[in-house]
Amino acid sequence: MDQPTATQRCERVLDAVSSAVIADEEFLETVLTGILARGHVLLEDVPGTGKTLTARSFADALGLSFSRIQFTPDLLPADITGSNVYDEGTGEFEFSPGPVFANVVLADEINRAPPKTQAALLEAMGEGQVTVDGTTHELPTPFFVLATQNPVEQEGTFGLPEAQRDRFIVKTTMGYPDFEGERELVDKRADRTAKAPSVGSVVEGREVAAVQRVLESVRVDGKLRDYVVSLGRATRQDDRVEVGVSPRGIQRLFEAARASAVIAGREYVVPDDVKRVAEPTFAHRLVLTDEASVRGADRSAVVADVLERVEVPAVKSPSA
């Protein structure tokens, strides 16, 4: 698959999802960026904004299998990965796959489950496999986790540790719809006999991997590669930051920038691609100092300041 075809597929997916989900275009592009870059996406917002519908709509539009896991305080790791079940007929244990065995997995309210259960997703997210009783089981390909968490209600929740936050290529929020968007929701709700919003497949599941491979041919100038590294290193030098962006985070920014270029219809990365995805890629990876946290420092503001400080390279367009 070439770049123009991949861009066309992306446009189809975004059009299909936006027909069911009332959300900002930039938000939907950020979620698609994470998927194209073979990453996982963390959605943080208050209940009722459409996070679950977003995850299901992307799965449907991409022609992929979908599974939803409702995280609760009593959820066990085996409830996610599956377990070995004794078969009386054969007298042997057989593996019964858990809900994680799907192409798109919605980990709903992931911060409501204890750390041990959250950690059950780590191997799946990092390696594309799970290990149960010493036996490794491969997950379907492609495999994406879209996790949600409520940033307001913190009682009875377990914040994601840094190691797990780092597994998500981007973190983004939906925000409230504008007036017209909420009015459209009311109009749709007025007819209770109407079917809930749904999305048909506009891309065959097997094409997703082909679209992802297009990213490998996207050109990134050497100066832009230096720029990506400089941005990551600059986060470690900020007085408000205790732990800056890891080398993995820098690689993720590089991958996300290439995905952004494909969505924009280019076979090369420009500085705006890097700047566009820097905040959703970097902010959730930062650990602020206690003093900065007490003063109400914001991770997104730190990334914005870093983008202001680091000089943007002058790169000539390959098509020029």
Side-chain angles (χ1 to χ4, degrees):
M1 183 180 292
D2 57 13
Q3 175 267 314
T5 304
T7 298
Q8 183 186 57
R9 297 293 189 273
C10 292
E11 291 173 349
R12 287 183 185 176
V13 171
L14 290 172
D15 288 344
V17 174
S18 62
S19 68
V21 179
I22 307 299
D24 182 77
E25 182 180 354
E26 183 179 351
F27 164 76
L28 297 179
E29 289 182 355
T30 299
V31 176
L32 184 58
T33 295
I35 292 174
L36 291 186
R38 295 185 175 90
H40 310 287
V41 179
L42 181 60
L43 308 178
E44 183 177 79
D45 224 318
V46 296
T49 52
K51 299 185 292 296
T52 300
L53 178 61
T54 298
R56 183 180 295 277
S57 297
F58 268 105
D60 291 342
L62 293 167
L64 300 174
S65 60
F66 175 79
S67 177
R68 177 178 179 271
I69 306 173
Q70 180 63 56
F71 278 65
T72 57
D74 60 348
L75 193 71
L76 300 175
D79 295 328
I80 296 174
T81 62
S83 58
N84 290 315
V85 179
Y86 183 72
D87 187 331
E88 293 185 358
T90 62
E92 298 178 350
F93 283 91
E94 293 185 1
F95 178 66
S96 177
V100 76
F101 283 83
N103 296 123
V104 179
V105 176
L106 172 63
D108 211 359
E109 295 188 293
I110 189 173
N111 56 334
R112 292 208 172 277
K116 184 177 181 180
T117 302
Q118 293 175 2
L121 275 180
L122 277 177
E123 183 185 13
M125 294 170 65
E127 308 297 335
Q129 63 185 29
V130 296
T131 302
V132 178
D133 294 338
T135 302
T136 299
H137 304 273
E138 297 292 329
L139 293 170
T141 303
F143 174 73
F144 311 109
V145 171
L146 277 72
T148 72
Q149 62 179 10
N150 178 2
V152 179
E153 195 176 337
Q154 298 300 322
E155 185 176 353
T157 63
F158 304 85
L160 293 178
E162 179 190 354
Q164 188 145 334
R165 292 202 308 270
D166 202 41
R167 299 286 180 177
F168 293 98
I169 188 169
V170 293
K171 174 187 173 185
T172 185
T173 61
M174 292 190 70
Y176 292 112
D178 57 19
F179 181 89
E180 289 74 17
E182 293 196 284
R183 173 57 191 268
E184 183 178 347
L185 288 172
V186 171
D187 291 342
K188 288 181 177 180
R189 190 60 178 169
D191 184 4
R192 290 181 175 269
T193 62
K195 293 182 178 180
S198 61
V199 173
S201 174
V202 295
V203 174
E204 294 184 21
R206 58 182 176 82
E207 288 185 308
V208 176
V211 176
Q212 291 174 325
R213 285 194 293 270
V214 171
L215 269 63
E216 304 303 321
S217 61
V218 173
R219 287 169 286 174
V220 186
D221 187 274
K223 293 180 181 178
L224 275 178
R225 299 185 185 202
D226 291 341
Y227 181 53
V228 168
V229 174
S230 296
L231 288 174
R233 293 176 66 86
T235 63
R236 306 170 196 163
Q237 299 164 0
D238 193 291
D239 293 338
R240 296 164 291 180
V241 177
E242 182 175 343
V243 180
V245 172
S246 67
R248 178 192 289 151
I250 292 175
Q251 294 175 61
R252 291 307 201 188
L253 178 60
F254 176 77
E255 295 162 355
R258 293 196 298 185
S260 177
V262 170
I263 293 174
R266 282 180 276 98
E267 58 183 11
Y268 56 89
V269 172
V270 298
D272 281 347
D273 291 318
V274 179
K275 295 165 72 173
R276 185 179 302 114
V277 297
E279 191 276 332
T281 306
F282 274 1
H284 65 287
R285 290 182 160 87
L286 301 179
V287 178
L288 302 182
T289 63
D290 292 338
E291 182 180 354
S293 298
V294 169
R295 291 182 176 180
D298 181 68
R299 295 187 180 95
S300 296
V302 172
V303 177
D305 290 345
V306 166
L307 288 171
E308 286 289 331
R309 291 199 307 267
V310 178
E311 183 178 358
V312 180
V315 181
K316 181 183 295 186
S317 168
S319 60

PDB file of all heavy atoms in Angstrom, residues 202-214:
ATOM      1  N   VAL A 202     -15.348   0.307   7.120  1.00  0.00           N
ATOM      2  CA  VAL A 202     -14.921   1.013   5.914  1.00  0.00           C
ATOM      3  C   VAL A 202     -13.515   0.583   5.497  1.00  0.00           C
ATOM      4  O   VAL A 202     -13.016   1.003   4.452  1.00  0.00           O
ATOM      5  CB  VAL A 202     -14.959   2.545   6.126  1.00  0.00           C
ATOM      6  CG1 VAL A 202     -16.386   3.024   6.338  1.00  0.00           C
ATOM      7  CG2 VAL A 202     -14.074   2.974   7.284  1.00  0.00           C
ATOM      8  N   VAL A 203     -12.882  -0.215   6.335  1.00  0.00           N
ATOM      9  CA  VAL A 203     -11.562  -0.772   6.049  1.00  0.00           C
ATOM     10  C   VAL A 203     -11.590  -2.239   6.438  1.00  0.00           C
ATOM     11  O   VAL A 203     -12.128  -2.587   7.493  1.00  0.00           O
ATOM     12  CB  VAL A 203     -10.450  -0.032   6.843  1.00  0.00           C
ATOM     13  CG1 VAL A 203      -9.108  -0.720   6.653  1.00  0.00           C
ATOM     14  CG2 VAL A 203     -10.363   1.422   6.423  1.00  0.00           C
ATOM     15  N   GLU A 204     -11.020  -3.088   5.617  1.00  0.00           N
ATOM     16  CA  GLU A 204     -10.936  -4.490   5.977  1.00  0.00           C
ATOM     17  C   GLU A 204      -9.854  -4.667   7.033  1.00  0.00           C
ATOM     18  O   GLU A 204      -8.801  -4.040   6.968  1.00  0.00           O
ATOM     19  CB  GLU A 204     -10.610  -5.339   4.747  1.00  0.00           C
ATOM     20  CG  GLU A 204     -11.708  -5.342   3.699  1.00  0.00           C
ATOM     21  CD  GLU A 204     -11.391  -6.278   2.554  1.00  0.00           C
ATOM     22  OE1 GLU A 204     -10.565  -7.199   2.740  1.00  0.00           O
ATOM     23  OE2 GLU A 204     -11.969  -6.091   1.467  1.00  0.00           O
ATOM     24  N   GLY A 205     -10.131  -5.537   8.017  1.00  0.00           N
ATOM     25  CA  GLY A 205      -9.195  -5.720   9.119  1.00  0.00           C
ATOM     26  C   GLY A 205      -7.777  -6.013   8.670  1.00  0.00           C
ATOM     27  O   GLY A 205      -6.801  -5.539   9.263  1.00  0.00           O
ATOM     28  N   ARG A 206      -7.635  -6.787   7.584  1.00  0.00           N
ATOM     29  CA  ARG A 206      -6.300  -7.158   7.106  1.00  0.00           C
ATOM     30  C   ARG A 206      -5.553  -5.957   6.523  1.00  0.00           C
ATOM     31  O   ARG A 206      -4.326  -6.007   6.358  1.00  0.00           O
ATOM     32  CB  ARG A 206      -6.403  -8.258   6.058  1.00  0.00           C
ATOM     33  CG  ARG A 206      -7.258  -7.899   4.853  1.00  0.00           C
ATOM     34  CD  ARG A 206      -7.372  -9.053   3.872  1.00  0.00           C
ATOM     35  NE  ARG A 206      -8.261  -8.738   2.768  1.00  0.00           N
ATOM     36  CZ  ARG A 206      -7.898  -8.042   1.696  1.00  0.00           C
ATOM     37  NH1 ARG A 206      -6.656  -7.587   1.617  1.00  0.00           N
ATOM     38  NH2 ARG A 206      -8.753  -7.799   0.715  1.00  0.00           N
ATOM     39  N   GLU A 207      -6.280  -4.880   6.193  1.00  0.00           N
ATOM     40  CA  GLU A 207      -5.638  -3.694   5.629  1.00  0.00           C
ATOM     41  C   GLU A 207      -4.969  -2.840   6.691  1.00  0.00           C
ATOM     42  O   GLU A 207      -4.112  -2.012   6.377  1.00  0.00           O
ATOM     43  CB  GLU A 207      -6.665  -2.839   4.880  1.00  0.00           C
ATOM     44  CG  GLU A 207      -7.153  -3.423   3.574  1.00  0.00           C
ATOM     45  CD  GLU A 207      -8.063  -2.467   2.827  1.00  0.00           C
ATOM     46  OE1 GLU A 207      -9.041  -1.979   3.439  1.00  0.00           O
ATOM     47  OE2 GLU A 207      -7.795  -2.207   1.643  1.00  0.00           O
ATOM     48  N   VAL A 208      -5.361  -3.022   7.939  1.00  0.00           N
ATOM     49  CA  VAL A 208      -4.816  -2.184   9.010  1.00  0.00           C
ATOM     50  C   VAL A 208      -3.299  -2.327   9.090  1.00  0.00           C
ATOM     51  O   VAL A 208      -2.564  -1.337   9.183  1.00  0.00           O
ATOM     52  CB  VAL A 208      -5.464  -2.526  10.363  1.00  0.00           C
ATOM     53  CG1 VAL A 208      -4.812  -1.723  11.485  1.00  0.00           C
ATOM     54  CG2 VAL A 208      -6.969  -2.260  10.322  1.00  0.00           C
ATOM     55  N   ALA A 209      -2.818  -3.560   9.031  1.00  0.00           N
ATOM     56  CA  ALA A 209      -1.364  -3.786   9.089  1.00  0.00           C
ATOM     57  C   ALA A 209      -0.666  -3.139   7.903  1.00  0.00           C
ATOM     58  O   ALA A 209       0.447  -2.603   8.028  1.00  0.00           O
ATOM     59  CB  ALA A 209      -1.070  -5.281   9.143  1.00  0.00           C
ATOM     60  N   ALA A 210      -1.311  -3.157   6.729  1.00  0.00           N
ATOM     61  CA  ALA A 210      -0.714  -2.545   5.550  1.00  0.00           C
ATOM     62  C   ALA A 210      -0.603  -1.035   5.712  1.00  0.00           C
ATOM     63  O   ALA A 210       0.400  -0.424   5.318  1.00  0.00           O
ATOM     64  CB  ALA A 210      -1.540  -2.888   4.310  1.00  0.00           C
ATOM     65  N   VAL A 211      -1.637  -0.429   6.293  1.00  0.00           N
ATOM     66  CA  VAL A 211      -1.587   1.021   6.549  1.00  0.00           C
ATOM     67  C   VAL A 211      -0.473   1.336   7.541  1.00  0.00           C
ATOM     68  O   VAL A 211       0.271   2.315   7.375  1.00  0.00           O
ATOM     69  CB  VAL A 211      -2.943   1.529   7.081  1.00  0.00           C
ATOM     70  CG1 VAL A 211      -2.847   3.010   7.443  1.00  0.00           C
ATOM     71  CG2 VAL A 211      -4.044   1.317   6.045  1.00  0.00           C
ATOM     72  N   GLN A 212      -0.335   0.516   8.558  1.00  0.00           N
ATOM     73  CA  GLN A 212       0.716   0.739   9.555  1.00  0.00           C
ATOM     74  C   GLN A 212       2.108   0.662   8.925  1.00  0.00           C
ATOM     75  O   GLN A 212       3.010   1.420   9.289  1.00  0.00           O
ATOM     76  CB  GLN A 212       0.598  -0.286  10.683  1.00  0.00           C
ATOM     77  CG  GLN A 212      -0.622  -0.104  11.572  1.00  0.00           C
ATOM     78  CD  GLN A 212      -0.769  -1.216  12.582  1.00  0.00           C
ATOM     79  OE1 GLN A 212      -0.448  -2.375  12.301  1.00  0.00           O
ATOM     80  NE2 GLN A 212      -1.249  -0.886  13.754  1.00  0.00           N
ATOM     81  N   ARG A 213       2.274  -0.249   7.975  1.00  0.00           N
ATOM     82  CA  ARG A 213       3.593  -0.418   7.347  1.00  0.00           C
ATOM     83  C   ARG A 213       3.979   0.796   6.504  1.00  0.00           C
ATOM     84  O   ARG A 213       5.170   1.034   6.276  1.00  0.00           O
ATOM     85  CB  ARG A 213       3.617  -1.682   6.490  1.00  0.00           C
ATOM     86  CG  ARG A 213       3.704  -2.970   7.290  1.00  0.00           C
ATOM     87  CD  ARG A 213       4.075  -4.149   6.401  1.00  0.00           C
ATOM     88  NE  ARG A 213       3.011  -4.452   5.439  1.00  0.00           N
ATOM     89  CZ  ARG A 213       2.016  -5.294   5.683  1.00  0.00           C
ATOM     90  NH1 ARG A 213       1.927  -5.900   6.854  1.00  0.00           N
ATOM     91  NH2 ARG A 213       1.101  -5.537   4.753  1.00  0.00           N
ATOM     92  N   VAL A 214       3.000   1.550   6.055  1.00  0.00           N
ATOM     93  CA  VAL A 214       3.289   2.749   5.262  1.00  0.00           C
ATOM     94  C   VAL A 214       4.132   3.730   6.068  1.00  0.00           C
ATOM     95  O   VAL A 214       4.965   4.451   5.513  1.00  0.00           O
ATOM     96  CB  VAL A 214       1.974   3.405   4.787  1.00  0.00           C
ATOM     97  CG1 VAL A 214       2.246   4.761   4.144  1.00  0.00           C
ATOM     98  CG2 VAL A 214       1.266   2.495   3.795  1.00  0.00           C
TER      99      VAL A 214
END
